[in-house]
Each structure stands twice: as structure tokens, then as C-alpha cells.
Amino acid sequence: MREAIGKTCKLPAIISCWLAVVVITGATLWSGDAQAQEAIWGKAMHEQVIMIPNLGGTLQLETTIFKPSGNGPFPVVIINHGKARGNPAWQPRDRSPVVAREFLERGYAVILPMRQGFAHSGGVYNVPGCNLEYDGKYEADDIQAAITFVQQQPWADHDRIVVIGQSHGGLSTMAFGARNPAHVKALVNFAGGLNEEGTSCRWQDALVQAFESYGKTTTIPSVWFYGANDSLFDPALARRMFEAYTKSHRADVRLVAFGPFGKDAHQLGGSVAGIPIWWPPTEALLQKVGLPTRRLFVATDEGELPVSEIVDGQLPADLKQTEQDAYASFLQLHMPRAVARSPARVWVSVSGGADFIERALKSCRDKSPQPCSLYLVNHSVVQIQP
């Protein structure tokens, strides 16, 4: 069994200013992205790490929670991790910072349970053998434990839940979806499966059989993401799994076969560069089932900055001519992207990396004699707070 360690492709970082010209480069690995986020998670994301009981109440599962400010109730996203190489007990606690942040800033509470035998969760990892259909169903019990926990929380909207899974967690997510819990509105599958290369199993056939079994009963809509250069599941296998799952056509399912991505498409959800690929189809699914998609705030090391306007490429209303020119250059940057500015006519645009917001603010403050504030993030104007 194997699962690749995350990587992020390089992104350009271009700066446009009125008086100051600054050049910033930003190329990080997935692990680097996560490390860069550490400064903001506790303050802006209200991170908690707790232990919750498993489905039978005999074990405790290490679980990370991110919540927006306020009492809720918040719609809920449950994110299910993959399996890294080596002993699952040595696997770090999953935080999925890129995917979690996209949902959190739209007002969702994000729950990330570590399944049995992983990280500091109790029990031992269930070695699946050749029966991958059963393995998915077995792992899905820990997703149910997270759902049971959510149903007991006053801050959670008990009837608006999305379940997401990556790799082994994607297999578990689709197995859980076959149970059709009424409060789960959508499923998102990031390269779901389990690669048993090197064993005596006909593991690819076993995966196809597993997905065919899950598809027979699932009525919850889903969106799937598999790339052309996925190191674990090639496009032909992804297509076989999808066609097997959709034989009965009981659910609204979309396969997004997005072509090559970086060095390994298996890492799509772990890279900020992947957001333009996976977010629009996910947003369409959420809108279809009546779940919120508008960004409400932007998380920074200074806390939550409320979004005041969604410009989505249109010219913001309050820009002077020099700022309009700078904004036109900003639109040419890859996302994620941000602008920080000050009354001293300093405008700094930054692109790429999980710490793009913090880098924009720091660069502006280094160049400006007056206070800087965040102004633009991707398509959003945030409330200016010096």
C-alpha cells in the first residue's frame, strides 16, 4: 500500500505598485504550505483538537475542528484523510489546510477525524487484504462516528453536511455515501481508492467492484476528481470505477478528469494551485443542493476580515486611475492572489503559496510609512482594517 507525499507546483508571483515596486517569489511544497499556515490556524480558524468516541464507543478518534466565529449553527464539512507510507500510527494528524480554508471562509465548520489506527486515534489499522469493498465500509464506520458527534453539537447545522475524502479517505467517503444518511447533502471524491500494488491482489478489479457495489444504493450526489498523471490511479482505472459506480444511475455524479497537474495529480487537494480546478465544480454541486458558497471572510494572522464585495474580475467601485491600472495587472496573476495597500500609495500584489496573504501584508508594511491593510483576495474585496 502506498500514497504519495503532497507536493505543490511553482506559481509566479508578480507585483504591481504605484510608487513602490516589489518582487516576491513563492514556491512551496504541500508540507511548506501547511507550515506557513501554522501562524493563522489557531487565531483565525479557532482550531481545536479533541478525542471523540468511535461508533461502538470503545475507542477514541483524534479529531481536528475548525469553526468560524460565532455560535452557528454552521453547515458542516467532514474531511477524510488518505493513507501515507509506513505505519499509520506514525501518520501526522490531518489538517487539510487548503480544502479546509476554502470551506471555513464560506461559513462552514470543518471536522477532520483520524480513523482507527491513524495518528493518535485508538485501535489498529485494518489491513484490507483483497476485499476493498469491505475495507471502505469498515473505514466508513469512523465517518459515521464523526457524523454522530456533529449531530450532538449545538453549533452544527445537523441537516447540512458535506462529506469529502482524499485517496483512501475517498474510498471510505463513497462507501459511507452508500448508507444515504438524510442529513448528508453531497459527497466530494478526491482521487478515491486504495493502491495495493506489490501484493497478490488484483486490486484494480477489486476497486472497480467496490465502487460498483457502492453505486447500487447511493442516492447522494457527488463530484469526483482524477487527474491524468495521478501516481496511484491512472485515467483508465478512474474511468472504470466511475462507470461501475454509475451503472444503476441512482445518483447525480460528475467525473472531472482534469488532465495533468504538477508532478502528481493525486495531490490536487493539497495544493493552492489546484483550487481553480476543484472549486468551481464543487461550488456548482453545493449550489445545486442548496448549500452556501459565498465567501464570508478571509482568514489572516490578524483574524477574520469580512468580505465586503465580490468583484469576480469586474472593476471595484472605489479605485482611482492608478489603482485601476494596478488592478488590471492583479487580474493576470494566478490564484491564490492578494493585494495589500496603504494611504501612502503603496500597492503590493502577491500570488502563490499558502502564506500569500501574510506575504502581501509584510511586503507592504516594509515599504510603507503608513499602516497597510489587506484589500483584495482572489475575487473578494475585504473590509479595510489598518
Side-chain angles (χ1 to χ4, degrees):
M1 286 165 282
R2 63 188 181 92
E3 188 156 319
I5 303 301
K7 300 176 182 178
T8 303
C9 62
K10 291 184 178 181
L11 287 174
I14 306 170
I15 304 306
S16 58
C17 301
W18 307 347
L19 297 180
V21 178
V22 187
V23 177
I24 300 177
T25 58
T28 62
L29 301 178
W30 189 358
S31 58
D33 281 2
Q35 292 166 1
Q37 291 282 25
E38 292 290 340
I40 70 168
W41 284 111
K43 183 174 181 179
M45 303 299 198
H46 313 290
E47 181 176 12
Q48 296 176 277
V49 183
I50 65 171
M51 304 299 288
I52 66 173
N54 72 336
L55 196 57
T58 58
L59 300 170
Q60 297 290 303
L61 305 178
E62 184 180 33
T63 301
T64 302
I65 301 174
F66 299 121
K67 289 188 301 182
S69 296
N71 298 321
F74 309 111
V76 175
V77 169
I78 296 177
I79 302 178
N80 301 291
H81 61 83
K83 182 186 181 301
R85 293 187 181 98
N87 187 340
W90 300 342
Q91 186 164 320
R93 173 173 60 91
D94 183 43
R95 301 168 90 232
S96 295
V98 174
V99 177
R101 185 170 183 164
E102 287 302 304
F103 279 92
L104 191 81
E105 291 183 344
R106 291 170 168 86
Y108 289 77
V110 182
I111 316 297
L112 301 100
M114 301 302 296
R115 300 187 298 280
Q116 293 181 45
F118 288 90
H120 292 107
S121 292
V124 295
Y125 172 64
N126 173 63
V127 179
C130 297
N131 191 342
L132 300 187
E133 176 188 347
Y134 171 78
D135 178 70
K137 292 177 178 178
Y138 179 89
E139 298 286 328
D141 281 349
D142 289 342
I143 302 177
Q144 181 61 60
I147 294 284
T148 300
F149 167 79
V150 164
Q151 294 291 325
Q152 298 168 350
Q153 306 310 308
W155 45 260
D157 187 331
H158 302 158
D159 294 318
R160 294 201 295 172
I161 300 175
V162 178
V163 180
I164 297 174
Q166 195 271 334
S167 199
H168 193 203
L171 176 68
S172 307
T173 291
M174 302 315 295
F176 174 75
R179 303 178 183 185
N180 291 311
H183 35 266
V184 174
K185 304 305 181 187
L187 308 170
V188 181
N189 172 15
F190 283 99
L194 187 61
N195 185 310
E196 292 285 77
E197 187 176 332
T199 70
S200 60
C201 296
R202 297 182 60 177
W203 63 273
Q204 294 186 345
D205 292 339
L207 269 182
V208 173
Q209 179 181 344
F211 278 96
E212 181 177 358
S213 172
Y214 306 152
K216 288 178 180 178
T217 60
T218 306
T219 59
I220 302 171
S222 60
V223 60
W224 301 23
F225 298 96
Y226 289 85
N229 61 329
D230 191 297
S231 62
L232 301 186
F233 312 116
D234 62 40
L237 177 57
R239 173 59 62 177
R240 287 180 63 198
M241 292 188 290
F242 178 77
E243 290 177 351
Y245 184 87
T246 55
K247 275 184 178 180
S248 301
H249 298 286
R250 295 178 58 85
D252 180 7
V253 189
R254 178 184 178 187
L255 170 63
V256 180
F258 53 87
F261 176 77
K263 294 183 179 179
D264 184 357
H266 200 68
Q267 307 306 324
L268 177 75
S271 170
V272 290
I275 295 172
I277 295 174
W278 67 262
W279 176 251
T282 301
E283 180 180 41
L285 175 59
L286 297 177
Q287 291 173 342
K288 193 169 186 177
V289 298
L291 292 174
T293 59
R294 185 184 186 276
R295 195 181 301 274
L296 303 178
F297 66 89
V298 173
T300 75
D301 58 357
E302 298 178 348
E304 298 173 4
L305 299 183
V307 170
S308 59
E309 183 182 359
I310 305 293
V311 291
D312 198 19
Q314 300 300 312
L315 192 67
D318 62 341
L319 295 187
K320 301 179 178 67
Q321 183 60 52
T322 51
E323 294 176 300
Q324 292 177 18
D325 295 339
Y327 178 73
S329 297
F330 168 74
L331 292 180
Q332 303 305 310
L333 300 180
H334 291 291
M335 289 190 284
R337 59 196 184 193
V339 167
R341 66 178 185 174
S342 83
R345 300 180 65 208
V346 173
W347 170 295
V348 178
S349 300
V350 170
S351 171
D355 60 341
F356 67 106
I357 290 174
E358 289 70 36
R359 287 170 30 238
L361 286 166
K362 181 180 185 304
S363 179
C364 182
R365 289 164 180 162
D366 288 345
K367 298 296 177 181
S368 174
Q370 294 181 273
C372 290
S373 59
L374 193 65
Y375 176 59
L376 289 165
V377 177
N378 294 328
H379 300 306
S380 304
V381 176
V382 298
Q383 292 184 10
I384 299 176
Q385 297 180 6

